[in-house]
Amino acid sequence: MNLKRIRTMGLVAVAAVALAACGNLKNSSFGSSSTSQTTTTGSKTTTTTGSTDSEFYQGVIKKGRYRTSKSRGVNVSQNDNVMNLKSFETGLLDVSKKVFSTSKYVYQEGQYINTSTVEKWLGRKSKSNPDGLNPKSNGKTGANTRNPIYLQQLEEQDYMIQSGSKLSLGGVTIGLGMNSVDYYTKVEYGATYETDISTTELTAQGKKMANTVLQRLRKKSALKSVPIVLALYKQSSNDSLVGGDMIAYVVSKNGSTTVNNWTALNWKNYVFPATSESKNSGANSNDESDFSSFKSHVQNFFPNLSGVTANAHYQDKSLKKLSVNITTKFYSETEIISFTQYLATAAKRYLPSGIPVEITVKSANGDIQSFLARTAKGSSYYTHVFSDQGDN
Amino acid sequence: MNLKRIRTMGLVAVAAVALAACGNLKNSSFGSSSTSQTTTTGSKTTTTTGSTDSEFYQGVIKKGRYRTSKSRGVNVSQNDNVMNLKSFETGLLDVSKKVFSTSKYVYQEGQYINTSTVEKWLGRKSKSNPDGLNPKSNGKTGANTRNPIYLQQLEEQDYMIQSGSKLSLGGVTIGLGMNSVDYYTKVEYGATYETDISTTELTAQGKKMANTVLQRLRKKSALKSVPIVLALYKQSSNDSLVGGDMIAYVVSKNGSTTVNNWTALNWKNYVFPATSESKNSGANSNDESDFSSFKSHVQNFFPNLSGVTANAHYQDKSLKKLSVNITTKFYSETEIISFTQYLATAAKRYLPSGIPVEITVKSANGDIQSFLARTAKGSSYYTHVFSDQGDN
């Protein structure tokens, strides 16, 4: 698979979040449906993982096992920037929630497109790979003269409807992850070059490919008439500290085989504080100054604090989620406890309210030391100090 | 400092918890005292970190900064097994709570014994170090003929009483970390040998040293009459997957300079499932079989699950805390979300109730993926899926 470009990745390790499912499955318990309780090993019943938070879908369990994707693992090999993998998946969930309600639908990993199909589709079109969605090679290797790889990753998500102990397919979401930069080598194991792809071009290419995918899926009998959501994601560059952004989606209903009424999504991820490279032009300056106040108080509070950064997720220019990353050089358990208490106070006072916030405190070597989170509606922070980290 | 034995440590990394402050500062907010709100930078007021959970002490803030220990960092250099550092500190907090109520006292890192004093006390007694608490070298190097280092670490914790905006010292806890195995070399950078020390012997030595420490502290005017708690901790061996245990404590009141009415503590940490080396003879077999049920259901649920272990903390043969460590080989964000939902269901059904439980899900390279926790009184699990981990 010529797309499997495995390169070293140190760049990403430092910090930063992506679309970041803030993930408060608060007070999880058995799902509301009675069948979610039949999770015994070897059971023939199809059940669900259970979830009481309407922000999350329940997942499908079959014979006591989680039903994994038919193309499991493909996307991992497609992403040099892990942020793109995580934010692609959580972004697809967020888009899906606009169409498939979490209270009505149950989540199932994609069962209709298998690994070899995904690999073929992600490849270039050629004699040996007629199904490739990426353009034929034109034989050129210049950054602006070659045909780039537009489509970097593809994911299927299934949305099931539960009726008694039966689950039936209620809809499918297909995500196309489009490159904003295509990294390539001129010879095997050679130097890496880059072809930049404009948002206009990757969007046009993505919409065309989405129609091709839709036509192929409609040929499968199970997918003949269910709603199919098609979503475009713009991958961030490999040196970005944030993941990419969902840029558009469309719903194909009643078995339609073409779609054109796309809805644009103005979703953006920013890093706080802004750097000279990332001007954060779309971020709200009040949010940035709130974060600055928080950061300066926190950094004053403790010696040996290495870094305080945040990843801010915006939708339509309004802050939707804030993930704060704090790196410490502490050693003492009692210091971490006190610091965490202080953070809960400082976060409540300085950080924007009305949105989900998560704060992770990690040691310089990456072990998590404590974490705090508040839901959009919550006023106080849930906090947890980890003490089981064998961290040297 | 000849006690600073820095060796490689891979052994500990795998898993396991220690006395492990389970750490649910649930719904933290401003502390109950009004002064805990005056945390502005540069303020001259002494304030506290704030904590609404009675399980935790508030900490002391002075001029907007956390008041760190006068012997900060010493203990780090004394511990090859980081479990011993963490469980020593949280164990000391737990012992202190028996004497200094979290609702009345505020926690302050030790301010009366500084780094050079601690280093002297931890050394061997000698002409150049008359204050050394460990015995003189007898010149021998045989495992059973030499004088071992009994005292490995020492920590001071201060407990303050708040009155208006003033904090005054209300009591002090001193912990002595006693070696169950003393690791030594016969020549510098040479092979490591071990002297085993029986619990009887380390306890006797610790009690003698505690009296010496007490007499020294009583000479400081600030410590002349406050209650002083002395606690003995038995360090676990360097290859142990759990930290050591608090074994005894005593309270010196009214300025007394000797103590002898020690209270024995039957606190033990075990790893589940039991291994051939760790028979867990003191653990409750019902707790172990509960964990086994949980483990087998969880391992059946998902492919690629590397390990499910737990650290169980017992006091007086009764389970007080359970920390579960799960190592995955997952890649997909949606899989982690579903797995976490399932864990909340499975933990609620199979794990013992009425005690605090924490569950951490980590990737094979140590990045945390999700976490779940339930308090002793809670019936449901708080869950959080992390998505901001740049994990490759």
Side-chain angles (χ1 to χ4, degrees), chain A residues 9-10 12-13 15-18 20-31 36-42 49-51 56-61 63-66 68-69 72-73 76 79-80 82-83 85-86 89-90 93 107 109 155 157 296-297 299-304 323-325 329-335 337-342 344-345 348-350 358 360 362 366-369 371 373 380-392, chain B residues 9-10 12-13 15-18 20-31 36-42 49-51 56-61 63-66 68-69 72-73 76 79-80 82-83 85-86 89-90 93 107 109 155 157 296-297 299-304 323-325 329-335 337-342 344-345 348-350 358 360 362 366-369 371 373 380-392:
Chain A
M9 275 289 307
V12 196
V17 195
C22 241
N24 292 327
L25 325 164
K26 206 171 182 178
N27 298 321
S28 282
S29 62
F30 291 104
S36 69
Q37 298 195 22
T38 53
T39 50
T40 32
T41 313
T49 52
S51 164
F56 284 85
Y57 294 104
Q58 298 191 62
V60 174
I61 302 172
K63 298 188 185 174
R65 284 180 170 270
Y66 185 64
T68 54
S69 167
R72 186 169 198 271
V76 175
N79 280 284
D80 284 347
V82 71
M83 298 295 159
L85 176 56
K86 298 209 170 202
E89 292 199 332
T90 54
L93 286 174
Y107 177 80
E109 305 276 346
E155 181 158 310
Q157 299 183 336
S296 67
H297 280 87
Q299 286 187 321
N300 183 65
F301 180 72
F302 245 117
N304 296 359
S323 296
V324 179
N325 294 285
K329 292 178 190 163
F330 302 157
Y331 299 107
S332 152
E333 187 69 12
T334 53
E335 287 180 343
I337 292 170
S338 290
F339 183 51
T340 304
Q341 291 172 329
Y342 175 76
T345 305
K348 195 176 171 180
R349 179 170 315 154
Y350 300 110
E358 68 174 4
T360 52
K362 290 186 194 172
D367 287 312
I368 191 157
Q369 296 176 309
F371 122 93
S380 295
Y381 278 79
Y382 177 91
T383 68
H384 189 86
V385 176
F386 292 89
S387 43
D388 58 339
Q389 311 291 308
D391 61 3
N392 56 350
Chain B
M9 274 290 309
V12 197
V17 195
C22 239
N24 292 328
L25 324 165
K26 205 172 182 178
N27 296 322
S28 282
S29 62
F30 290 104
S36 69
Q37 299 195 21
T38 54
T39 50
T40 31
T41 312
T49 51
S51 164
F56 283 86
Y57 294 104
Q58 298 191 63
V60 174
I61 302 172
K63 298 188 185 173
R65 282 180 172 269
Y66 186 63
T68 55
S69 168
R72 186 169 198 271
V76 174
N79 281 283
D80 283 349
V82 70
M83 298 294 158
L85 176 57
K86 298 210 169 199
E89 292 198 333
T90 54
L93 287 174
Y107 177 81
E109 306 277 345
E155 180 158 311
Q157 298 182 338
S296 66
H297 280 88
Q299 288 188 320
N300 182 65
F301 180 72
F302 245 118
N304 295 0
S323 295
V324 179
N325 294 284
K329 292 178 188 161
F330 303 156
Y331 300 106
S332 150
E333 187 70 12
T334 53
E335 286 179 343
I337 292 170
S338 290
F339 184 50
T340 304
Q341 291 172 328
Y342 175 76
T345 305
K348 194 175 172 181
R349 181 173 311 157
Y350 300 110
E358 67 174 6
T360 52
K362 290 185 192 172
D367 288 312
I368 193 157
Q369 296 177 308
F371 123 93
S380 296
Y381 279 78
Y382 177 91
T383 67
H384 190 86
V385 176
F386 292 90
S387 44
D388 59 337
Q389 311 291 308
D391 61 4
N392 56 351

Side-chain angles (χ1 to χ4, degrees), chain A residues 300-301, chain B residues 40 42-48 59-68 108 111 160 167:
Chain A
N300 183 65
F301 180 72
Chain B
T40 31
S43 157
K44 304 246 166 176
T45 326
T46 301
T47 57
T48 61
V60 174
I61 302 172
K62 200 141 191 176
K63 298 188 185 173
R65 282 180 172 269
Y66 186 63
R67 197 163 206 201
T68 55
Q108 179 177 268
Q111 300 297 316
M160 314 299 287
L167 281 175

Side-chain angles (χ1 to χ4, degrees), chain A residues 183-208:
Chain A
Y183 299 89
Y184 68 104
T185 56
K186 297 186 182 181
V187 293
E188 212 175 359
Y189 308 116
T192 300
Y193 297 87
E194 305 180 2
T195 298
D196 291 330
I197 304 171
S198 72
T199 303
T200 309
E201 190 179 0
L202 68 88
T203 306
Q205 291 285 345
K207 289 180 177 177
K208 210 174 76 184

Side-chain angles (χ1 to χ4, degrees), chain A residues 50-105:
Chain A
S51 164
T52 54
D53 189 320
S54 61
E55 270 188 65
F56 284 85
Y57 294 104
Q58 298 191 62
V60 174
I61 302 172
K62 200 141 191 178
K63 298 188 185 174
R65 284 180 170 270
Y66 185 64
R67 196 161 207 201
T68 54
S69 167
K70 283 277 186 294
S71 62
R72 186 169 198 271
V74 176
N75 287 343
V76 175
S77 62
Q78 304 307 324
N79 280 284
D80 284 347
N81 185 339
V82 71
M83 298 295 159
N84 276 327
L85 176 56
K86 298 209 170 202
S87 78
F88 179 54
E89 292 199 332
T90 54
L92 274 186
L93 286 174
D94 286 346
V95 168
S96 298
K97 285 170 196 165
K98 293 175 171 285
V99 181
F100 307 116
S101 150
T102 54
S103 61
K104 183 173 168 199
Y105 292 87

Side-chain angles (χ1 to χ4, degrees), chain A residues 109-128:
Chain A
E109 305 276 346
Q111 300 296 315
Y112 298 97
I113 312 181
N114 63 23
T115 299
S116 74
T117 303
V118 172
E119 288 180 342
K120 279 178 201 154
W121 291 8
L122 292 178
R124 285 188 185 280
K125 189 171 185 133
S126 67
K127 266 180 199 160
S128 64

